[in-house]
């Protein structure tokens, strides 16, 4: 029987005293572990929350900068155009030919600036179908072509990428 009694006893501690595992001590250990895990989870949550706030703040700053400097690329492309116009005004005795040549060169610079910044002309050809998403008909005129087609272009339109900036102003053919 003594063997059975010795099996029921807990092994001795490091200091030689016997230590019995009681339900209270097991609960205290479990509570301590749970509190440590809770503290760890709270710390992780607070770090994640702070990181989320930092990401949100950086995104708002990026959006603000994008709005503020959205025109920067286009403005840089237009500076040579302005320089050319200012130089043309400084010429003492311009001739018609030199003015015409200067205007043509300046127009090429502007076309290049438009192209680099995805500013595209909307210039329908005579006879093209009227597209209300790109064209604005200011008059309907009798014509020898199909109804609702472009008869004349009064003013070019422009698009930036896929967005209409200004519609082409046109006259359209009247239904027969």
């Amino acid at each position: 029987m003594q063997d059975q009694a010795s099996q029921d006893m807990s092994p001795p501690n490091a200091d030689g005293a016997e230590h019995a595992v009681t339900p209270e001590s097991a609960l205290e250990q479990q509570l301590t572990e749970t509190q440590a895990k809770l503290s760890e989870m709270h710390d992780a949550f607070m770090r994640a929350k702070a990181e989320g706030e930092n990401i949100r703040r950086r995104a708002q700053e990026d959006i603000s900068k994008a709005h503020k400097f959205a025109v920067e690329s286009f403005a840089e492309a237009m500076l040579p155009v302005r320089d050319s116009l200012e130089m043309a005004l400084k010429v003492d005795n311009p001739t018609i030919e030199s003015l015409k040549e200067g205007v043509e060169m300046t127009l090429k610079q502007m076309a290049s600036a438009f192209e680099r910044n995805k500013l595209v002309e909307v210039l329908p050809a005579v006879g093209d179908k009227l597209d209300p998403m790109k064209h604005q008909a200011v008059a309907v005129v009798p014509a020898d072509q199909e109804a609702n087609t472009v008869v004349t272009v009064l003013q070019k339109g422009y698009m930036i990428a896929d967005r209409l900036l200004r519609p082409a102003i046109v006259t359209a053919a009247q239904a027969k």
Side-chain angles (χ1 to χ4, degrees), residues 125-128 142-152 171-174 176:
V126 173
D128 283 355
D144 293 332
Q145 59 192 53
E146 189 178 327
N148 294 325
T149 57
V150 174
V151 176
T152 56
T171 59
Q174 183 177 12
K176 294 181 185 179

Side-chain angles (χ1 to χ4, degrees), residues 9 34 53 55 62 72 74 123 127 164:
M9 298 179 73
T34 303
E53 284 296 315
I55 289 170
D62 289 347
E72 183 177 15
F74 185 68
L123 184 58
L164 184 66

Side-chain angles (χ1 to χ4, degrees), residues 75-144:
E76 286 176 354
M78 292 303 295
L79 290 177
V81 174
R82 181 182 175 124
D83 292 342
S84 294
L85 291 171
E86 287 174 345
M87 285 174 43
L89 291 175
K90 288 181 182 179
V91 174
D92 290 334
N93 297 316
T95 64
I96 298 291
E97 281 302 311
S98 68
L99 286 176
K100 184 177 182 206
E101 185 179 324
V103 168
E104 287 172 348
M105 288 174 51
T106 304
L107 185 58
K108 285 180 185 177
Q109 287 177 323
M110 184 176 282
S112 174
F114 281 14
E115 185 179 316
R116 280 195 309 264
N117 288 279
K118 296 179 177 67
L119 186 62
V120 180
E121 288 182 354
V122 175
L123 184 58
V126 173
D128 283 355
K129 188 79 174 153
L130 185 68
D131 181 354
M133 300 304 288
K134 295 181 181 178
H135 311 144
Q136 180 179 352
V138 292
V140 179
V141 295
D144 293 332

Side-chain angles (χ1 to χ4, degrees), residues 35 69 87:
Q35 286 174 333
F69 299 110
M87 285 174 43

Side-chain angles (χ1 to χ4, degrees), residues 1-21:
M1 288 274 202
Q2 207 175 30
D3 285 341
Q4 190 177 19
S6 65
Q7 287 178 354
D8 289 343
M9 298 179 73
S10 299
N13 283 353
D15 61 358
E18 291 186 6
H19 175 64
V21 177

